[in-house]
Amino acid sequence: MAYLAGKMVLAIEAGAPNNGRGEDTTTRVKFARVRGRRYPYVSAQAARRWLRDGLVELGAVPSPVTRVGKAQNKAQKANTEADPIRYVDDDLFGYMRAGAKKDDAGTTLRDSPFMLGTLMSVEPVHPTEDFGVMARGVTEPVLHGHEFYTADLAAPFLLDVPRIGTFTLPDASGVGRPNYLTEDQARGVAEAVRAGATATTFRDQPAFRLPVEERRHRAALLLEALAQLSGGAKQALHYGDRVPALIVLVPFKGGVNPLAHCVDGEEGVGLRVRGEVLRQELAAWEGEWEAPVRIGWRPGFRDDLRADFEKACAEEIAAGTVVVDHPRTVLRGLAAELREGRLDGWFDDPAR
């Protein structure tokens, strides 16, 4: 297998985890308008920030960020160190570092091995506007407001496992130059920072690859950070748990995610977790995925849906093709399998 496809659901209760631009004295939550209805969402950028912070909590050293450019709202930019060999977050989340024109420096780019969709509400929701007053010790109170909502947010994600710790180089004609590192950078940093990095060919391009032990560690670290996900705006007023209430993981040979309609929503119904749809998708992609399908479902979250799902997939659950447990147990268990080397085949593309 080369990819880990998934879908996760966050249960937001009276929360405002990701805000947009305010209006006057009111802070607005982010939302998308679909067929005239409002669907609150958490941007992938925000959720990836939560994951980055989780990596730091687990001991990873974050890539330093430098802000460059002109004043606010002009030609401004912020760059990380753009060193995916030394920094786990640069490797897992990618970056684009644009060189200064005056120095004739090129742009360094790394596509993200971890791809995440927008965490969108599964049904339309009209946010509540909370009116507030700051009146302590002042003769004229200061008025302000903010929005919050209750909703289940769902998003797909995809982890390109072989690309973790793998950095392509330009070939003789220069193809691949903007993709990751120059050859001199790759050779120098790899030898200095991670002894044992080896030269290889990756997806028809010359590349350098970190030792499998480090690549196992980085993949596992991402799953462990997801298992204790936390963060978001308005925590002082709207504290809430951000650990996924539901997560589904399927190892795939190609970059396909079959879970779009297995976990979705319907207006007036809310979240749907459809076991029969999952069974049909797995049958259609037979030979392209690897058992078991791992499902993390938090106790007490939509017990009615869980009962219906387990009934629809009773045969697969009994056979071990589908396993259901707590999200933290599922994610940390999979991370342990990666660390122990039991899934090393995931770190290479399937033979053609």
Side-chain angles (χ1 to χ4, degrees):
M1 297 298 115
Y3 295 86
L4 186 63
K7 194 156 189 180
M8 63 178 172
V9 176
L10 303 188
I12 307 301
E13 184 175 349
N18 192 203
N19 294 315
R21 180 176 295 181
E23 298 176 2
D24 297 325
T25 60
T26 301
T27 303
R28 303 293 182 186
V29 297
K30 288 183 178 178
F31 69 92
R33 196 175 295 278
V34 182
R35 292 184 289 275
R37 307 298 297 275
R38 296 173 71 175
Y39 287 73
Y41 70 86
V42 168
S43 70
Q45 179 187 18
R48 284 160 62 92
R49 170 62 189 271
W50 304 349
L51 279 169
R52 284 178 184 266
D53 291 344
L55 294 177
V56 174
E57 291 175 8
L58 291 169
V61 177
S63 181
V65 177
T66 303
R67 188 184 186 282
V68 295
K70 299 179 182 178
Q72 194 76 12
N73 297 323
K74 294 188 178 180
Q76 55 180 331
K77 54 188 175 181
N79 295 326
T80 69
E81 197 68 14
D83 186 349
I85 296 177
R86 179 176 293 145
Y87 298 109
V88 174
D89 55 341
D90 274 346
D91 183 8
L92 294 174
F93 297 107
Y95 52 80
M96 184 181 74
R97 181 169 184 163
K101 290 183 179 180
K102 65 182 180 65
D103 298 328
D104 195 26
T107 295
T108 303
L109 170 69
R110 174 163 175 76
D111 297 332
S112 175
F114 178 68
M115 294 154 270
L116 175 66
T118 300
L119 283 151
M120 182 86 73
S121 174
V122 299
E123 61 180 336
V125 173
H126 188 75
T128 297
E129 184 171 324
D130 185 44
F131 176 73
V133 176
M134 170 56 182
R136 296 193 310 274
V138 296
T139 56
E140 187 173 345
V142 176
L143 309 181
H144 59 87
H146 71 274
E147 294 181 330
F148 67 90
Y149 60 88
T150 294
D152 294 328
L153 312 183
F157 61 88
L158 190 70
L159 180 62
D160 187 347
V161 182
R163 222 154 35 86
I164 297 172
T166 303
F167 314 110
T168 57
L169 308 173
D171 62 18
S173 64
V175 174
R177 181 196 58 78
N179 210 11
Y180 301 128
L181 305 172
T182 67
E183 187 166 1
D184 287 343
Q185 286 175 321
R187 288 182 185 276
V189 179
E191 291 172 0
V193 177
R194 183 61 58 184
T198 56
T200 186
T201 298
F202 181 70
R203 297 177 185 169
D204 298 324
Q205 283 189 267
F208 269 83
R209 174 169 273 182
L210 296 180
V212 70
E213 294 81 7
E214 177 63 19
R215 296 162 63 214
R216 291 172 188 157
H217 168 68
R218 294 182 177 193
L221 204 61
L222 179 65
L223 297 176
E224 289 163 350
L226 188 54
Q228 60 182 54
L229 189 65
S230 64
K234 294 289 184 184
Q235 289 283 349
L237 299 179
H238 294 290
Y239 170 74
D241 189 6
R242 301 293 175 252
V243 174
L246 173 69
I247 191 164
V248 185
L249 302 166
V250 186
F252 252 77
K253 286 184 180 179
V256 173
N257 193 319
L259 303 172
H261 303 296
C262 305
V263 181
D264 63 6
E266 182 179 353
E267 185 172 349
V269 175
L271 181 67
R272 299 189 300 180
V273 186
R274 298 189 283 177
E276 185 56 38
V277 173
L278 177 61
R279 295 182 66 191
Q280 292 179 38
E281 286 283 3
L282 295 178
W285 293 100
E286 185 176 359
E288 297 296 314
W289 59 280
E290 179 182 294
V293 177
R294 297 166 174 86
I295 298 177
W297 201 313
R298 299 190 74 174
F301 175 70
R302 295 305 305 267
D303 290 335
D304 55 334
L305 292 182
R306 180 166 181 169
D308 291 342
F309 175 82
E310 291 182 348
K311 182 178 180 180
C313 295
E315 183 177 333
E316 287 76 13
I317 292 172
T321 305
V322 173
V323 296
V324 185
D325 207 330
H326 193 286
R328 180 172 172 82
T329 303
V330 167
L331 290 164
R332 288 171 59 85
L334 182 54
E337 290 185 61
L338 289 166
R339 290 189 185 278
E340 293 164 5
R342 294 161 58 186
L343 300 172
D344 279 358
W346 289 14
F347 290 93
D348 290 298
D349 287 329
R352 297 177 181 175

